[in-house]
Amino acid sequence: MARPNLKSLLRLSQFAVNLNLNKTTQLTNLSKSLITQNRNFSTSKIIRQDTSNNNAPATKINFYVEEYKDKGYMVLKFNKAPVNSLNLEFLTELNIQLDKIEQSKDIKGVILTSHLPNIFSAGLDILEMYQIKQERGTQFWTALQETWIKLYGSNKIFIAAINGHSPAGGCLLAMSCDYRIMTKGPYKIGLNETLLGIKAPFWFRDTMINTIGYRETEKALQLGKLYSPEEALAVNLVDEIVDANVLIQKAEEQMVKWCSIPTVARELTKSSMRRDTVSKLIAQRESDTQSFIEFTQRDSIQKSLKGYLEAMKKPKK
Ligand SMILES: CCCCC/C=C/C(=O)SCCNC(=O)CCNC(=O)[C@H](O)C(C)(C)COP(=O)(O)OP(=O)(O)OC[C@H]1O[C@@H](n2cnc3c(N)ncnc32)[C@H](O)[C@@H]1OP(=O)(O)O
């Protein structure tokens, strides 16, 4: 196959970002991503697209996927500008990606990262909670539960390459991975829910306890602590901190190491460590969703969320 030059690849990826996707097949299309078969471009990019309706409104591509089937892993990059906030559509698409990964015989592991600079994920989209409606809220929370169950409960290897801020739900995604590498810099990671006037759900808490231990979690959750990369390393919230230019390389080195462990033994071990935590949510999914709706509908919570949103909109100094 002919080697495409860099210019044509850039044009190709811009084209992919601007793809028009058919509204009626939007959900299916959510899983359609830019597939790069080799990051060194020694083979051409494959772009999957649905061309059944060229008059459809533009839909952004929320994920980029680079597959290295020969090496047994892939890189999944969040691409929901401006901050990779987790809304219903994004989570639905992520769940489709996670299903595909789970079903793939060729893929042993995934490096999760962000295509956007300085941000891994800003966590849950606050607009999904502000002025919440029962039906959409239920779908949203169910999708989030689904994401966590699929990610935290997966037997595949997940390595988070955290290239920027990762508060709240962003931290949950990172903690659900098996290994975390964070870029050095002015970034923050942690479960800051109390600062928004809300309580972190029990499964966020349990994931953090499993990651950094009970005492540190108790302090972190009450204070809504957002850790710098150095602080996060000191409490084992991340496993490594590195310069931005070597983040993916370091993640790949770890991936190779994790992939070299006998698969069945590693999977059984992982499952034995995480099964109880995941089962706890599975047993309480409906009541957890109900609590989320009731809690977020409270006037006091709505007031807090409104204030938080307004503070975020204030012009930056
Ligand atoms: C029972 C209920 C339990 C629920 C558990 C909740 C879990 C959560 O995840 S709650 C969400 C917590 N997230 C945060 O507190 C993060 C808030 N965002 C930030 O702190 C910053 O945006 C940043 C550090 C992540 C990035 O900073 P910066 O690069 O300076 O970007 P801006 O602040 O200018 O933001 C750009 C743009 O994005 C909007 N935005 C940011 N975060 C969110 C969000 N989580 N949801 C929705 N929208 C968000 C922000 O308002 C800006 O919008 P525009 O002004 O319209 O550009």
Side-chain angles (χ1 to χ4, degrees):
M1 198 175 288
R3 280 172 74 120
N5 66 28
L6 191 58
K7 257 190 187 169
S8 65
L9 283 167
L10 287 172
R11 272 204 306 276
L12 213 53
S13 53
Q14 191 54 49
F15 165 69
V17 171
N18 295 328
L19 282 181
N20 279 340
L21 300 180
N22 182 347
K23 198 177 183 183
T24 55
T25 55
Q26 204 158 338
L27 194 64
T28 326
N29 292 343
L30 286 172
S31 68
K32 306 262 162 51
S33 303
L34 185 86
I35 308 284
T36 311
Q37 282 204 314
N38 184 317
R39 203 152 40 87
N40 297 321
F41 304 136
S42 61
T43 57
S44 63
K45 286 189 175 188
I46 295 177
I47 298 170
R48 291 185 198 149
Q49 68 174 112
D50 189 313
T51 52
S52 50
N53 179 359
N54 288 328
N55 297 320
T59 302
K60 286 179 188 149
I61 291 186
N62 284 333
F63 296 90
Y64 289 86
V65 182
E66 295 172 4
E67 288 185 346
Y68 304 91
K69 285 193 175 153
D70 51 333
K71 296 181 188 163
Y73 66 85
M74 62 182 254
V75 183
L76 181 60
K77 297 181 175 180
F78 306 146
N79 184 48
K80 179 176 173 287
V83 290
N84 292 326
S85 63
L86 310 176
N87 68 0
L88 174 59
E89 288 71 23
F90 185 84
L91 290 168
T92 305
E93 186 176 354
L94 179 54
N95 289 339
I96 293 169
Q97 293 289 354
L98 292 173
D99 281 343
K100 280 201 214 163
I101 290 161
E102 210 55 42
Q103 284 155 18
S104 169
K105 289 197 176 71
D106 301 320
I107 299 295
K108 279 187 176 180
V110 180
I111 296 171
L112 274 192
T113 190
S114 165
H115 188 68
L116 307 176
N118 306 318
I119 183 87
F120 181 71
S121 164
L124 304 193
D125 194 318
I126 294 167
L127 297 173
E128 292 285 8
M129 297 181 283
Y130 180 57
Q131 297 183 335
I132 188 168
K133 300 275 179 308
Q134 172 104 22
E135 194 183 341
R136 169 97 187 181
T138 302
Q139 287 173 351
F140 167 68
W141 199 250
T142 304
L144 180 69
Q145 291 173 334
E146 202 81 35
T147 302
W148 179 77
I149 290 167
K150 287 179 197 296
L151 192 55
Y152 196 70
S154 173
N155 280 339
K156 305 278 183 188
I157 302 154
F158 280 88
I159 293 181
I162 308 162
N163 56 323
H165 294 294
S166 193
C171 178
L172 180 77
L173 293 182
M175 290 192 300
S176 302
C177 295
D178 299 289
Y179 194 85
R180 282 160 289 286
I181 310 179
M182 189 170 185
T183 299
K184 291 176 192 167
Y187 307 124
K188 297 286 183 188
I189 181 167
L191 295 184
N192 60 323
E193 279 78 355
T194 51
L195 303 184
L196 285 77
I198 53 186
K199 173 173 138 296
F202 73 86
W203 40 287
F204 284 48
R205 177 202 65 203
D206 290 350
T207 309
M208 188 170 241
I209 291 172
N210 293 352
T211 310
I212 63 172
Y214 200 94
R215 178 61 188 139
E216 187 63 31
T217 301
E218 192 169 21
K219 286 189 286 182
L221 287 188
Q222 290 191 54
L223 296 171
K225 183 162 173 61
L226 286 168
Y227 297 82
S228 68
E230 290 74 17
E231 290 170 330
L233 181 66
V235 298
N236 293 322
L237 183 53
V238 299
D239 300 292
E240 261 183 77
I241 55 173
V242 299
D243 290 327
N245 61 336
V246 293
L247 178 69
I248 296 298
Q249 180 200 320
K250 294 289 177 191
E252 286 176 330
E253 283 169 18
Q254 277 300 322
M255 184 57 83
V256 169
K257 178 178 168 184
W258 285 66
C259 283
S260 72
I261 307 299
T263 303
V264 175
R266 189 198 51 73
E267 286 182 352
L268 287 171
T269 305
K270 178 173 180 179
S271 157
S272 75
M273 298 289 296
R274 297 190 173 197
R275 192 185 306 119
D276 291 349
T277 310
V278 174
S279 302
K280 200 166 143 190
L281 175 62
I282 290 174
Q284 300 180 50
R285 280 189 75 172
E286 274 185 36
S287 60
D288 179 63
T289 305
Q290 202 50 42
S291 319
F292 166 71
I293 301 286
E294 279 167 19
F295 186 74
T296 40
Q297 278 177 340
R298 286 184 200 168
D299 287 346
S300 58
I301 301 304
Q302 285 301 315
K303 226 167 145 186
S304 289
L305 292 173
K306 186 168 188 258
Y308 199 75
L309 277 169
E310 281 168 3
M312 278 204 301
K313 296 280 173 207
K314 277 191 189 138
K316 310 241 162 15
K317 284 177 194 161

